[in-house]
Amino acid sequence: MIRSPLMTVMTDAVMKASRSLKRDFGEVENLQVSRKGPGDFVSAADRKAEKILRESLEKARPGYGFILEEGGVVEGTDTSHRWHIDPLDGTTNFLHGLPQFAISVGLERDGQIVAGVIYDPAKDELFIAEKGKGAYLNNRRIRVAARNDIAEAVIACGLPHIGKGDHALWLREAAAVMGYVGGMRRWGAAALDLAYVACGRLDGYWERGLSSWDMAAGILLVREAGGFVSDADGGSDPLTKKTIACGNEIIHRELLALLKKAKG
Ligand code: IPD
Ligand code: CA
Ligand code: CA
């Protein structure tokens, strides 16, 4: 496939940042046994990757704004464009030496996400999508899974933890979903959960309490792969609602029905 100039800019920035993350991931394992642990080291790795992404994208597309997980909102002179960036999605995994983490970069133009890149450095998997041009994994076109029996579906989710999320609601939702599906997974990197739905490894996914940088690129990937995406209550704006549910048309619909039942 031939990459557009925009996609080349995005993938170049992401690959550059990924080299730094990958080097740091190699170090993290050595730090597991130290008394202080790898916490500070990982925050530094995260910030370093974000700096590389910001500098590369600013150079190639001056004036675009940013919504950065670490750096916050940066207004640009070009008010129709802004990047949504998670330099390290799956921080807890990274911190524990678990190879399930990614860089996620989405581009918003006039309120719509028009391009997305998610890169998994540990597995060298590059997921890309541009609006109207399909979704790709390492240059191969991807589609959501065709499975339409939820009893055979593998559904991923987020999991609240100490200090985060509505634990009681999650327990009700998990109880509602688990009785109907073939399996549930919690991988710990929202961007990759979405990328995996896009390429058919997962049949569906829901989570509450996400941010735009977790989802922007992944939402476009799923849609360009033929999938359906909404917020976790079935509304049309996951980025604003900060929740998500997705899958192929049938699994998405059934998943929403189960979540609705749980909410009462
Ligand atoms: C987190 C991961 C995780 C999800 C959390 C996110 P981070 O992002 O995507 O899977 O459950 O809600 O905050 O903190 O690792 O960038
Ligand atoms: Ca992050
Ligand atoms: Ca994240």
Side-chain angles (χ1 to χ4, degrees):
M1 71 172 285
I2 299 162
R3 274 188 205 157
S4 70
L6 169 64
M7 200 34 82
T8 305
V9 160
M10 291 173 74
T11 51
D12 283 356
V14 165
M15 296 314 282
K16 193 167 172 201
S18 80
R19 287 192 281 279
S20 159
L21 265 193
K22 207 171 173 180
R23 261 194 314 273
D24 287 338
F25 187 63
E27 286 299 310
V28 154
E29 282 183 342
N30 304 328
L31 296 171
Q32 300 297 343
V33 289
S34 76
R35 205 165 55 85
K36 202 164 153 249
D40 291 346
F41 177 81
V42 171
S43 330
D46 200 337
R47 286 196 305 273
K48 225 187 319 172
E50 186 171 284
K51 186 165 181 278
I52 296 170
L53 289 162
R54 184 176 168 180
E55 284 173 0
S56 314
L57 294 170
E58 228 157 30
K59 196 167 164 208
R61 292 289 185 272
Y64 285 20
F66 288 89
I67 299 189
L68 300 154
E69 182 176 13
E70 304 304 321
V73 178
V74 181
E75 302 292 348
T77 50
D78 173 343
T79 49
S80 7
H81 290 94
R82 56 182 184 177
W83 305 105
H84 296 257
I85 298 183
D86 192 341
L88 170 55
D89 183 50
T91 323
T92 307
N93 285 342
F94 191 95
L95 187 68
H96 286 256
L98 296 163
Q100 182 77 358
F101 59 91
I103 296 172
S104 178
V105 177
L107 176 65
E108 181 186 341
R109 177 180 298 140
D110 299 324
Q112 280 195 15
I113 304 299
V114 293
V117 171
I118 295 173
Y119 182 61
D120 172 345
K123 302 176 204 69
D124 189 25
E125 290 191 326
L126 178 68
F127 298 87
I128 64 173
E130 272 188 273
K131 197 164 167 46
K133 296 188 185 167
Y136 294 82
L137 161 52
N138 290 348
N139 296 327
R140 245 190 30 252
R141 186 85 190 240
I142 51 175
R143 300 275 313 162
V144 291
R147 215 168 282 114
N148 57 21
D149 182 357
I150 198 155
E152 289 173 5
V154 173
I155 306 290
C157 58
L159 247 178
H161 48 81
I162 186 163
K164 196 180 169 200
D166 183 337
H167 296 207
L169 175 59
W170 186 86
L171 286 168
R172 288 202 304 279
E173 290 185 334
V177 173
M178 72 174 69
Y180 290 89
V181 301
M184 282 173 60
R185 298 288 183 274
R186 196 301 194 240
W187 288 107
L192 289 178
D193 291 330
L194 286 163
Y196 284 13
V197 171
C199 71
R201 290 177 186 162
L202 291 169
D203 299 291
Y205 163 60
W206 95 94
E207 181 157 0
R208 295 181 186 274
L210 291 175
S211 300
S212 74
W213 51 78
D214 297 310
M215 297 188 270
I219 289 172
L220 184 66
L221 268 157
V222 174
R223 290 195 171 134
E224 287 297 319
F228 282 64
V229 184
S230 66
D231 65 54
D233 302 301
S236 60
D237 194 2
L239 287 179
T240 309
K241 288 287 160 46
K242 300 182 178 303
T243 70
I244 197 158
C246 63
N248 69 24
E249 186 175 8
I250 293 167
I251 300 291
H252 176 244
R253 194 190 315 127
E254 294 193 6
L255 178 59
L256 282 177
L258 292 171
L259 296 176
K260 192 170 174 199
K261 209 166 85 183
K263 229 179 165 190

